[in-house]
Amino acid sequence: MPDDLLKNIAAIQARIQASCERCHRHPSSVKLLLATKTVTPERIALALQAGHTLIAENRIQELKEKHAALQSWPHTNHFIGHLQTNKVKEILKYDVACLQSLDRIALAQKLHERLLAAKKTLDVLIQVNTSGEASKFGIAPEEALTLTKQVAALPTLKIKGLMTIGIFSADTEKVRSCFQLLHSIKNEIASAQIPEVSMQELSMGMSGDLEVAIEEGATIIRVGTAIFGKRDTPDSYYWNEQSDK
Ligand SMILES: *Cc1c(COP(=O)(O)O)cnc(C)c1O
């Protein structure tokens, strides 16, 4: 059976294009990130070969397992899963360009210590829990500015924007209010003019809600299912993991 992956990516690009037209944005202002959890390196490589090179994993174990197999294809790794503090040493081994899920100061401090010792820096997005669902990670909206200021004081961490997972709901307006909230927090932080803090990226929108996210200003959409197909592992495995905070 041929793999429909590239056709699926083309369909996503058409959705991006159509959404951008509706809200008068340029399609190049929206980056497509491939959420590759549970996907084999062989299939990921097909996307990379076709030039879709921004990919992200949720778990260190999977990042590690696929790292060697993907090394010969140029690509950019982001990390979009909950990161336990005791995995900080690990994540720095695998060329992660951006940690999208920074959601607490203890994690930031651990990262900073390690990065300082390694004389490295790391781009980060602050993950905000805009849905209020306990099962999702992320800082509470009202604490996002404070966390941003605290992280900004750690010079190895380069804040580039915000990330959120919208509420799972068939009610588009409920989903939209999550994305609007993230956008308004971005504006709040931008107007605080914290030195070295950029608010250029808004990572929001997935297979089911990318249109709404683009309308509300997403610059990165994270797509898995609509490209790679349904996953056998339920998302609760990735999202409800015991936290070590
Ligand atoms: C899996 C995942 C996605 C992609 O979700 P789909 O619905 O499969 O497109 C996006 N963001 C995060 C954080 C994820 O874990």
Side-chain angles (χ1 to χ4, degrees):
M1 216 170 60
D3 197 324
D4 284 337
L5 168 90
L6 297 183
K7 254 195 231 163
N8 295 344
I9 293 178
I12 293 294
Q13 286 173 325
R15 284 171 66 186
I16 295 173
Q17 177 95 33
S19 309
C20 285
E21 271 168 26
R22 273 198 304 278
C23 57
H24 310 290
R25 293 185 57 187
H26 200 277
S28 68
S29 68
V30 181
K31 292 184 272 292
L32 172 60
L33 174 150
L34 309 184
T36 52
K37 56 178 177 272
T38 77
V39 181
T40 62
E42 292 73 22
R43 296 189 74 208
I44 299 170
L46 290 176
L48 298 182
Q49 286 169 57
H52 307 288
T53 54
L54 179 58
I55 62 175
E57 290 291 342
N58 287 65
R59 292 175 71 97
I60 299 295
Q61 188 58 33
E62 278 186 60
L63 180 65
K64 185 176 173 175
E65 286 164 8
K66 299 173 200 178
H67 182 76
L70 295 177
Q71 244 174 355
S72 46
W73 310 107
H75 63 276
T76 304
N77 272 313
H78 284 197
F79 194 80
I80 57 176
H82 176 67
L83 183 62
Q84 292 179 307
T85 313
N86 62 13
K87 295 281 166 63
V88 161
K89 192 177 167 187
E90 279 283 291
I91 196 176
L92 299 182
K93 292 181 188 166
Y94 302 109
D95 310 319
V96 170
C98 180
L99 172 69
Q100 293 202 5
S101 50
L102 186 58
D103 62 355
R104 58 200 194 281
I105 189 63
L107 176 61
Q109 279 159 346
K110 272 269 155 29
L111 282 163
H112 177 63
E113 277 169 30
R114 290 279 175 190
L115 287 162
L116 206 56
K119 297 192 167 62
K120 285 186 184 170
T121 64
L122 180 66
D123 287 354
V124 296
L125 305 184
I126 304 292
Q127 182 178 357
V128 183
N129 182 346
T130 54
S131 67
E133 291 169 293
S135 62
K136 286 185 193 146
F137 295 105
I139 188 87
E142 60 277 14
E143 293 167 21
L145 176 61
T146 303
L147 178 61
T148 303
K149 286 179 180 164
Q150 290 170 331
V151 174
L154 306 172
T156 59
L157 296 174
K158 308 292 182 192
I159 301 175
K160 300 295 179 189
L162 305 176
M163 184 271 250
T164 200
I165 301 173
I167 194 168
F168 288 110
S169 169
D171 182 345
T172 305
E173 293 318 300
K174 281 191 185 150
V175 181
R176 185 183 302 281
S177 49
C178 293
F179 298 152
Q180 285 175 336
L181 178 56
L182 197 69
H183 199 151
S184 75
I185 296 168
K186 168 194 150 149
N187 291 345
E188 179 197 7
I189 294 172
S191 62
Q193 298 192 325
I194 308 159
E196 308 292 325
V197 171
S198 155
M199 280 289 122
Q200 76 196 32
E201 304 291 359
L202 273 186
S203 174
M204 57 191 196
M206 320 197 318
S207 294
D209 55 19
L210 66 91
E211 282 83 1
V212 188
I214 291 171
E215 284 164 24
E216 298 305 331
T219 64
I220 302 174
I221 56 166
R222 310 177 307 266
V223 181
T225 313
I227 291 173
F228 299 107
K230 271 215 160 62
R231 292 177 289 268
D232 291 333
T233 319
D235 284 350
S236 56
Y237 174 72
Y238 292 93
W239 292 349
N240 294 355
E241 188 184 357
Q242 280 303 305
S243 163
D244 67 337
K245 343 185 178 185

